Amino acid sequence: MVAVMKIDGKAYRTIWLARDGWSVEIIDQTRLPHRLVIARLSRLEEAAHAIAAMLVRGAPLIGVTAAYGLALAMREDASDTSLARARATLLATRPTAVNLAWALEDVGSLLRRLAPEERAAAAYRRAAAIADDDVAINQAIGRHGAGLIEAAHARTGRARPVQVLTHCNAGWLATVDWGTALAPIYMAHDAGVPVHVWVDETRPRNQGAALTAYELGKHGVPHTVIVDNAGGHLMQQGLVDLCIVGTDRTTANGDVCNKIGTYLKALAAHDNAVPFYVALPSSTIDWSLDSGRRVPIEQRDGQEVTHVSGLAEDGSVVRVQVTPEGSKAANFAFDVTPARLVSGLVTERGIAEASRPGLLALYPEQAARAAGG
Ligand code: MRU
């Protein structure tokens, strides 16, 4: 399948097989937006490091990278012991995005049924299929979500651009292509609906300022970066028509776990009657949990809070400390937005009410697995 989203006229996916036919190439997202650097993953340990150190990030892309990580491991040693070790190594990288466990179970259960000599080729085939599925799923999410933006435009009397607020990066860089929360924006924009995006900077790692702004800019979508605390004020002023964000894990009752700060945006949206939508592929739904309170919340190194990196005047990328020496920092990476604050879940099958019945109406085959019934 061909890549869609472009950087300076060249179409990229976020992950692909290298020319040698077995190693895996990724866009190193720790280097964006100031440098476009392609990194190569040749071993299981490199795939695990890419996820843990966030060279790749975003729930769907974490899942695809883990699938390729299993393929790299099987290429070196396809024994049962190696498979179990690879699964455990990859699973330990990041705890919150359920796509990681989902992809490892998908590929792992397939491989366990095969003879060792068949495993490497099967793992590569399945990883490629998961990547292709991700693109098709995101296109479907985009089509369903674009309708929300078109409807918002109609509500304004088509008098001005639709104002969308998003948090973190749930664009094509967080997936294989298109993105989840940003796919509807790209599709509405491409269809001629005027859209302007308020981009939360998303401290501490600044995925909004660095990645979402980069993507939107490369696609020509008008956008403005704001500090994380500005959203509530903008909503009070009537400057936001709708919010769309992604999610790392949505539980069977419709609670949404996403990047830290999402909950505060949802509270502000609720207080100001601004619709708050969450876009997700079904691989992000954790049918086994009946409440967002049970989602493991990743805590990362405090240095992501105490330090920031950026472009210096001489063109070099530098890292500087913003806190006084000796101050402790806490770095909770995700929070949970209760289902009652979510206007709808935009999935590949359509828009669901954020509730167990709402999700099961779109995914009736999950009724047996869904917790809380
Ligand atoms: O810590 P990150 O950058 O991996 O967090 C990403 C997010 O919070 C995204 O909103 C989420 O993964 C959805 S990506 C389509």
Side-chain angles (χ1 to χ4, degrees):
M1 202 185 268
V2 291
V4 180
M5 303 310 287
K6 296 192 174 76
I7 300 173
D8 301 332
K10 181 171 178 208
Y12 286 87
R13 281 183 168 192
T14 51
I15 188 165
W16 61 92
L17 220 50
R19 285 228 178 108
D20 60 18
W22 65 270
S23 64
V24 176
E25 290 184 335
I26 56 167
I27 297 176
D28 179 350
Q29 300 191 24
T30 62
R31 308 294 299 275
L32 290 173
H34 307 301
R35 307 274 189 268
L36 176 61
V37 175
I38 308 302
R40 177 173 294 216
L41 313 177
S42 307
R43 308 196 60 223
L44 161 71
E45 289 73 18
E46 289 170 357
H49 173 261
I51 298 171
M54 294 177 66
L55 281 70
V56 290
R57 26 69 53 202
L61 179 56
I62 290 170
V64 175
T65 309
Y68 275 115
L70 285 184
L72 291 170
M74 292 301 93
R75 191 174 170 274
E76 283 191 13
D77 175 357
S79 65
D80 287 354
T81 314
S82 162
L83 178 55
R85 181 180 153 266
R87 185 185 169 280
T89 302
L90 291 160
L91 195 59
T93 52
R94 294 194 73 189
T96 302
V98 77
N99 305 60
L100 175 64
W102 174 87
L104 290 173
E105 178 54 27
D106 183 291
V107 183
S109 61
L110 169 78
L111 300 186
R112 280 191 292 275
R113 292 196 298 272
L114 298 177
E117 59 274 18
E118 298 172 320
R119 285 178 178 168
Y124 276 106
R125 275 196 304 275
R126 186 63 199 140
I130 292 175
D132 285 347
D133 284 354
D134 181 68
V135 180
I137 284 168
N138 295 336
Q139 278 179 311
I141 289 171
R143 279 194 292 273
H144 295 302
L148 297 170
I149 297 173
E150 281 154 22
H153 194 224
R155 280 198 300 279
T156 70
R158 303 187 198 283
R160 57 166 177 78
V162 179
Q163 304 290 331
V164 182
L165 183 141
T166 193
H167 191 69
C168 194
N169 172 262
W172 73 268
L173 289 168
T175 64
V176 177
D177 212 340
W178 282 108
T180 57
L182 296 195
I185 292 169
Y186 290 130
M187 288 199 187
H189 170 85
D190 292 352
V193 180
V195 193
H196 167 266
V197 185
W198 296 110
V199 178
D200 283 352
E201 62 175 348
T202 318
R203 277 280 282 146
R205 290 185 65 102
N206 287 322
Q207 290 96 325
L211 305 177
T212 298
Y214 179 81
E215 280 195 25
L216 292 172
K218 294 295 179 193
H219 200 81
V221 179
H223 62 280
T224 305
V225 179
I226 52 175
V227 297
D228 287 325
N229 295 325
H233 170 71
L234 295 180
M235 292 187 220
Q236 282 179 327
Q237 298 294 310
L239 295 173
V240 181
D241 295 309
L242 72 156
C243 303
I244 313 180
V245 301
T247 167
D248 288 78
R249 193 185 300 223
T250 288
T251 51
N253 67 327
D255 287 348
V256 167
C257 182
N258 191 46
K259 182 52 56 191
I260 192 81
T262 302
Y263 171 50
L264 290 177
K265 293 299 137 62
L267 280 175
H270 188 255
D271 196 43
N272 291 283
V274 173
F276 189 91
Y277 288 96
V278 180
L280 68 156
S282 49
S283 51
T284 303
I285 305 170
D286 186 341
W287 297 101
S288 73
L289 296 187
D290 60 0
S291 164
R293 282 191 299 272
R294 298 179 57 207
V295 175
I297 301 293
E298 179 178 16
Q299 290 189 51
R300 295 184 60 85
D301 194 320
Q303 286 205 9
E304 292 182 352
V305 176
T306 57
H307 291 67
V308 289
S309 70
L311 196 63
E313 281 179 4
D314 67 359
S316 61
V317 176
V318 294
R319 185 166 172 272
V320 296
Q321 184 170 335
V322 290
T323 53
E325 207 53 57
S327 288
K328 278 200 300 186
N331 189 3
F332 297 91
F334 298 95
D335 62 23
V336 175
T337 298
R340 66 186 163 79
L341 299 177
V342 178
S343 308
L345 299 170
V346 186
T347 76
E348 70 269 25
R349 292 197 188 168
I351 302 179
E353 184 187 273
S355 67
R356 188 173 186 279
L359 280 170
L360 286 179
L362 285 188
Y363 299 95
E365 72 276 16
Q366 297 291 346
R369 283 179 66 203

